C-alpha cells in the first residue's frame, strides 16, 4: 500500500517470496505445530498473535521500502532507461534476500524456548534458506540474481539486514513489554 502512494511498482514476484513462505513460515510452522505442547496459553489470543506477528511484519515492510526507495534514488538513470528490468531484478534479489534473512531471525524467536526438536527444525530451515538464497538454486527457485549483484548492492543488503534485525529486536522487546503491561493491567 505504501508503494502505491509512491507511484512505484510492487518489486516482488510470488517466486521471490517462496523462500520465506516455504522455509521460514510454512514448513517450519507445520513442523513446530507437530511438537507436543502441554503449556497453558497465557494472555489473550489477539495480544499473543500481535506480539509474535507485528514486529516481523513491520520489519519486512520497512526494510523492503528502504531497499526500494534507495534503489529508486541511487540507480543510475542511464541504466534505468536502457535496462529497467535490471533494476527490478536487483530489487527482487536484495529484497528477497533481506526478507529471507530476517525470516530466519523471526523463526528463531518462534522456536523459543529451544529444545532438541526446535534446534533441529531451526537448523534445517536455516541451512535450506542459505542454500536456496545464496547458491545458483536461488535463481531457479526464487528468481534471485546473485550473480548480478555488485559490492554496492551487497552492502545495501548487509546494511538493511543489520538495521532490520536491530529494528526487529527492539520492536519485539517493546511489543512484549506493552503486551505484558496490558495483561497486568487487565488482571487488576
Amino acid at each position: 500500500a505504501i508503494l502505491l502512494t509512491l507511484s512505484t511498482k510492487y518489486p516482488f514476484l510470488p517466486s521471490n517470496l517462496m523462500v520465506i513462505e516455504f522455509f521460514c513460515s510454512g514448513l517450519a510452522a507445520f513442523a513446530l505445530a507437530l511438537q507436543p505442547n502441554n503449556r497453558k496459553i497465557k494472555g489473550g489470543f489477539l495480544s499473543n498473535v500481535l506480539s509474535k506477528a507485528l514486529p516481523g511484519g513491520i520489519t519486512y515492510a520497512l526494510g523492503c521500502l528502504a531497499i526500494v526507495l534507495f534503489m529508486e534514488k541511487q540507480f543510475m538513470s542511464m541504466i534505468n532507461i536502457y535496462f529497467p528490468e535490471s533494476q527490478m531484478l536487483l530489487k527482487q534479489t536484495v529484497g528477497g534476500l533481506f526478507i529471507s534473512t530476517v525470516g530466519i531471525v523471526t523463526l528463531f524467536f518462534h522456536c523459543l524456548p529451544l529444545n532438541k526438536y526446535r534446534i533441529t527444525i531451526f537448523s534445517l530451515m536455516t541451512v535450506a534458506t542459505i542454500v536456496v538464497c545464496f547458491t545458483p538454486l536461488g535463481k531457479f527457485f526464487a528468481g534471485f540474481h546473485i550473480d548480478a549483484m555488485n559490492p554496492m548492492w551487497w552492502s545495501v543488503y548487509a546494511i538493511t539486514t543489520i538495521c532490520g534485525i536491530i529494528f526487529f529486536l527492539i520492536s519485539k522487546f517493546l511489543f512484549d513489554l506493552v503486551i505484558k503491561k496490558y495483561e497486568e493491567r487487565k488482571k487488576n
Side-chain angles (χ1 to χ4, degrees):
I2 295 171
L3 294 175
L4 291 175
T5 61
L6 299 173
S7 62
T8 276
K9 279 177 59 176
Y10 184 68
F12 300 111
L13 297 172
S15 63
N16 302 135
L17 303 175
M18 183 275 306
V19 176
I20 187 171
E21 290 171 358
F22 189 74
F23 295 119
C24 300
S25 299
L27 193 58
F30 178 74
L32 290 173
L34 292 177
Q35 185 179 21
N37 185 0
N38 297 333
R39 292 183 313 173
K40 184 179 178 185
I41 297 174
K42 296 177 185 173
F45 172 77
L46 191 58
S47 60
N48 281 331
V49 170
L50 290 178
S51 70
K52 294 196 185 335
L54 275 180
I58 293 171
T59 303
Y60 297 147
L62 291 178
C64 289
L65 181 65
I67 289 167
V68 167
L69 291 177
F70 177 79
M71 292 180 134
E72 291 285 327
K73 299 291 181 203
Q74 296 299 323
F75 215 87
M76 296 184 315
S77 59
M78 188 67 98
I79 293 174
N80 197 17
I81 291 169
Y82 294 110
F83 305 105
E85 67 280 352
S86 65
Q87 182 182 16
M88 189 57 73
L89 291 176
L90 283 171
K91 284 180 191 177
Q92 292 168 353
T93 302
V94 175
L97 292 175
F98 167 79
I99 288 175
S100 299
T101 307
V102 174
I104 289 297
V105 174
T106 59
L107 176 61
F108 175 78
F109 281 92
H110 290 298
C111 288
L112 295 177
L114 294 175
N115 59 27
K116 286 182 182 179
Y117 181 78
R118 291 176 179 207
I119 290 171
T120 303
I121 297 301
F122 176 73
S123 299
L124 288 173
M125 296 304 114
T126 301
V127 168
T129 300
I130 290 169
V131 166
V132 169
C133 286
F134 297 102
T135 65
L137 289 173
K139 193 172 195 175
F140 179 72
F141 284 111
F144 295 161
H145 293 268
I146 301 291
D147 53 338
M149 289 179 58
N150 62 29
M152 184 176 87
W153 301 122
W154 280 110
S155 62
V156 168
Y157 162 70
I159 291 168
T160 53
T161 300
I162 290 167
C163 292
I165 291 170
I166 291 169
F167 179 81
F168 171 78
L169 295 173
I170 291 169
S171 63
K172 175 91 174 112
F173 172 76
L174 291 175
F175 272 99
D176 289 345
L177 187 68
V178 167
I179 296 295
K180 185 177 178 182
K181 296 250 187 222
Y182 173 76
E183 295 295 332
E184 286 174 0
R185 192 177 323 144
K186 197 174 169 183
K187 282 183 185 177
N188 297 332

